[in-house]
């Protein structure tokens, strides 16, 4: 049997050993659960999110644990028996082992403390329903057997995605979105019963019962996946995309532009947050109507709303950008839009436009004319709106190469003063 625990970072092992001692003091048992156990078994890197299940009274444990770890309690919900403690780089979620009852589809469940085996059964997929006990000898974390009552290892070995009971997607339709992410990331195939449940849940329209916020959370997690294109491809194959973003389809062009963005190491790839650019690239081919629907359906944060509005406004100008003859014309056209929208344009369009957008971002956008407002006043331009107008024209003339230095700039200003 694999020794899973020793694959954990030694610092994390140390934290868990301390936790085991504290749990024993209050008569509780601690378990490592969820995705970490799955990823340990698969020998994948372990991220910063760690899930611990507490069999016993979690409320006696939170504060002593945070103190012993020198961590910060960043969330605490005594009614749900959950808490989050942040320790250095790790975000450790603790939850009391429980059963869940869903009185209606797609609403949050009623929860009740229960032993670990029941807690594993209430989870989404067999591969996420495994646990390893946290036991220690002093500072030393000891290896412990994998608890796998639902056949997670057999499913991992067969690369199978399997729901744990036939009401699972009705209870919580977010599992459809979790499932597609997991299946795409780990190259899993749903078993026959799970595939049938997915088809039935989509047919029954369960996703429409979820609040937009819950879907949005899953969509953000999709954008953070190592390969969002693979998730979209699979979601399209499963028939999920029309329920989430009508009009969205996986296409080779979408895959190609996401991979172009991912492989690019230039400065442009760092101009806007990753998730925002990926979202823009995913949405780029949607019609104006479909993009407007996204804006109506989801309560997106301002940068994402601006991005979508900018894409709607920018796309009709692509032909103008291609035909523009001067840098200042392109500058005037692109200047009103967010940097994220322009970065999306860069990765989503054909090479000739990409080259123009790249020059705009690298050379033209950062360019400052050789004179500023104070210089103009010293040259006799009266204070008032004329300064701003002249600065804009000065910038355009500099972009177009008519002004190369301070001297030619001053000559240009004097000429304009005489002309006006
Ligand atoms: P990832 O690698 O995507 O972070 P994860 O499985 O660790 O995967 P979390 O969202 O941190 O994802 O969830 C931790 C565990 O909690 C899951 O492995 C699963 O056992 C359980 N879980 C999370 N969400 C659900 C859900 N909607 N229904 C049932 N169980 C869930």
């Amino acid at each position: 049997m694999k020794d899973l625990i020793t694959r954990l970072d030694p610092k994390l092992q140390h934290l868990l050993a301390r936790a085991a001692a504290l749990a024993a003091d209050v008569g509780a048992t601690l378990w490592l659960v969820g995705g970490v156990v799955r990823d340990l078994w698969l020998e994948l890197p372990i991220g910063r999110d760690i899930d611990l299940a507490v069999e016993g009274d979690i409320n006696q444990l939170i504060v002593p644990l945070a103190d012993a770890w020198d961590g910060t309690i960043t969330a605490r919900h005594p009614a749900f028996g959950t808490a989050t403690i942040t320790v250095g780089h790790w975000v450790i979620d603790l939850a009391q082992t429980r059963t869940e009852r869903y009185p209606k589809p797609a609403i949050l469940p009623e929860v009740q403390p229960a032993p670990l085996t029941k807690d594993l059964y209430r989870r989404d997929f067999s591969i996420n329903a495994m646990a390893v006990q946290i036991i220690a000898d002093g500072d030393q974390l000891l290896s412990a057997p994998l608890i796998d009552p639902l056949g997670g290892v057999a499913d991992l070995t067969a690369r199978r995605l399997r729901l744990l009971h036939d009401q699972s997607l009705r209870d919580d339709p977010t599992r459809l979105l979790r499932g597609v992410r997991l299946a795409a990331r780990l190259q899993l195939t749903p078993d026959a019963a799970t595939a049938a449940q997915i088809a039935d849940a989509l047919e029954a329209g369960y996703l429409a019962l979820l609040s937009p916020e819950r879907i949005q959370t899953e969509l953000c997690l999709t954008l953070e996946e190592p390969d969002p294109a693979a998730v979209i491809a699979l979601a399209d194959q499963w028939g999920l995309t029309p329920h989430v973003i009508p009009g969205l389809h996986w296409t080779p062009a979408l895959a190609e532009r996401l991979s172009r963005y991912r492989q690019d190491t230039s400065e442009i790839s760092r101009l806007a947050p990753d998730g925002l650019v990926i979202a823009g690239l995913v949405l780029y081919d949607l019609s104006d109507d479909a993009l407007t629907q996204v804006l109506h359906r989801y309560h997106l944060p301002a940068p994402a709303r601006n991005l979508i509005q900018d894409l709607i406004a920018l796309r009709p100008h692509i032909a103008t950008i291609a035909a523009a003859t001067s840098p200042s014309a392109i500058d005037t056209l692109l200047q009103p839009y967010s940097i994220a929208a322009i970065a999306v344009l860069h990765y989503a369009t054909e090479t000739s436009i990409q080259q123009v957008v790249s020059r705009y971002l690298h050379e033209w956008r950062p360019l400052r004319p050789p004179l500023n407002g104070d210089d103009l006043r010293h040259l006799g331009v009266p204070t008032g709106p004329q300064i701003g107008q002249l600065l804009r024209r000065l910038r355009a003339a500099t972009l177009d190469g008519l002004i190369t230095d301070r001297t030619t700039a001053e000559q240009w200003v004097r000429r304009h003063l005489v002309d006006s």
Side-chain angles (χ1 to χ4, degrees):
M1 198 203 59
K2 296 191 189 193
D3 185 4
L4 301 178
I5 288 288
T6 50
R7 284 204 56 244
L8 290 172
D9 183 295
K11 283 197 205 118
L12 182 61
Q13 289 193 40
H14 184 71
L15 292 177
L16 294 179
R18 299 209 63 185
L22 284 174
D25 287 349
V26 297
T29 310
L30 273 188
W31 303 88
L32 189 63
V33 286
V36 175
V37 179
R38 176 198 72 215
D39 290 344
L40 281 174
W41 195 89
L42 288 171
E43 300 184 10
L44 293 174
I46 302 303
R48 54 205 285 272
D49 293 320
I50 307 294
D51 285 293
L52 296 180
V54 182
E55 214 174 2
D57 184 1
I58 188 172
N59 291 321
Q60 287 190 54
L61 202 55
I62 303 303
V63 174
L65 207 50
D67 287 347
W69 281 345
D70 205 9
T72 309
I73 302 172
T74 44
R76 189 168 182 185
H77 305 285
F80 291 107
T82 60
T84 304
I85 303 179
T86 306
V87 195
H89 139 103
W90 284 287
V91 179
I92 303 184
D93 281 327
L94 293 120
Q96 181 134 25
T97 50
R98 81 244 341 256
T99 50
E100 290 177 345
R101 203 178 77 82
Y102 290 81
K104 277 205 243 164
I107 62 163
L108 293 177
E110 291 166 0
V111 305
Q112 246 194 334
L116 176 82
T117 39
K118 290 216 164 142
D119 182 277
L120 295 179
Y121 185 74
R122 59 113 190 149
R123 289 172 186 266
D124 48 4
F125 301 101
S126 61
I127 58 170
N128 286 343
M130 301 186 282
V132 178
Q133 191 176 346
I134 306 290
I135 40 175
D137 181 7
D139 273 356
Q140 185 75 34
L141 200 58
L142 301 178
S143 64
L146 179 71
I147 307 295
D148 178 23
L150 295 152
V153 163
D155 286 339
L156 277 180
T157 310
R159 296 275 155 181
R160 199 160 44 213
L161 185 74
R162 189 164 55 81
L163 286 161
L164 296 178
H165 60 89
D166 58 11
Q167 294 298 305
S168 184
L169 298 179
R170 175 195 169 278
D171 286 349
D172 181 357
T174 61
R175 291 170 186 163
L176 283 160
L177 303 168
R178 292 178 57 79
V180 78
R181 276 195 285 117
L182 211 52
R185 192 194 317 155
L186 302 178
Q187 280 139 31
L188 309 173
T189 308
D191 73 338
T194 299
Q197 279 170 260
I198 292 170
D200 289 350
L202 292 175
E203 166 108 36
Y206 289 147
L207 276 171
L209 302 176
L210 287 173
S211 68
E213 289 76 11
R214 289 187 72 196
I215 297 190
Q216 211 171 307
T217 304
E218 297 298 328
L219 295 182
C220 289
L221 291 170
T222 299
L223 298 179
E224 289 167 18
E225 283 291 320
D227 187 359
V231 182
I232 297 166
L234 197 61
D236 216 15
Q237 203 179 314
W238 285 14
L240 256 167
T241 45
H243 296 265
V244 181
I245 300 184
L248 175 65
H249 288 293
W250 179 87
T251 60
L254 168 57
E256 209 262 322
R257 79 173 71 116
L258 284 172
S259 119
R260 193 183 316 146
Y261 171 63
R262 201 157 286 277
Q263 281 164 22
D264 186 25
T265 52
S266 79
E267 210 182 301
I268 298 179
S269 70
R270 294 187 296 275
L271 286 175
D274 222 25
L276 206 54
V277 178
I278 296 176
L281 292 172
V282 169
L283 297 174
Y284 189 79
D285 288 328
L286 260 65
S287 67
D288 287 358
D289 277 354
L291 286 178
T292 309
Q293 267 190 49
V294 172
L295 288 175
H296 285 316
R297 178 164 174 188
Y298 297 109
H299 304 286
L300 300 175
R305 295 194 78 77
N306 292 341
L307 170 68
I308 294 178
Q309 280 156 351
D310 282 356
L311 289 182
I312 294 174
L314 241 179
R315 288 184 308 191
H317 294 299
I318 288 187
T320 324
I321 296 173
T325 47
S326 66
S328 66
I330 291 171
D331 185 66
T332 309
L333 216 148
L334 293 180
Q335 219 178 22
Y337 301 106
S338 63
I339 196 75
I342 297 169
V344 169
L345 195 69
H346 177 263
Y347 294 103
T349 50
E350 60 190 76
T351 322
S352 60
I353 297 169
Q354 270 171 37
Q355 280 166 353
V356 175
V357 174
S358 166
R359 286 198 72 187
Y360 168 75
L361 288 170
H362 280 306
E363 297 172 38
W364 304 331
R365 187 170 173 271
L367 187 134
R368 299 284 163 264
L371 303 178
N372 61 24
D374 281 344
D375 297 326
L376 294 192
R377 264 188 293 277
H378 285 130
L379 287 168
V381 182
T383 308
Q386 207 189 341
I387 299 248
Q389 282 162 16
L390 215 52
L391 275 175
R392 277 191 291 281
R393 291 173 61 191
L394 190 66
R395 179 177 149 77
T398 313
L399 282 167
D400 293 340
L402 305 174
I403 291 169
T404 48
D405 54 19
R406 238 186 126 80
T407 314
T408 48
E410 286 174 2
Q411 286 163 357
W412 185 92
V413 172
R414 288 203 185 90
R415 259 202 324 277
H416 276 77
L417 282 175
V418 173
D419 291 349
S420 57

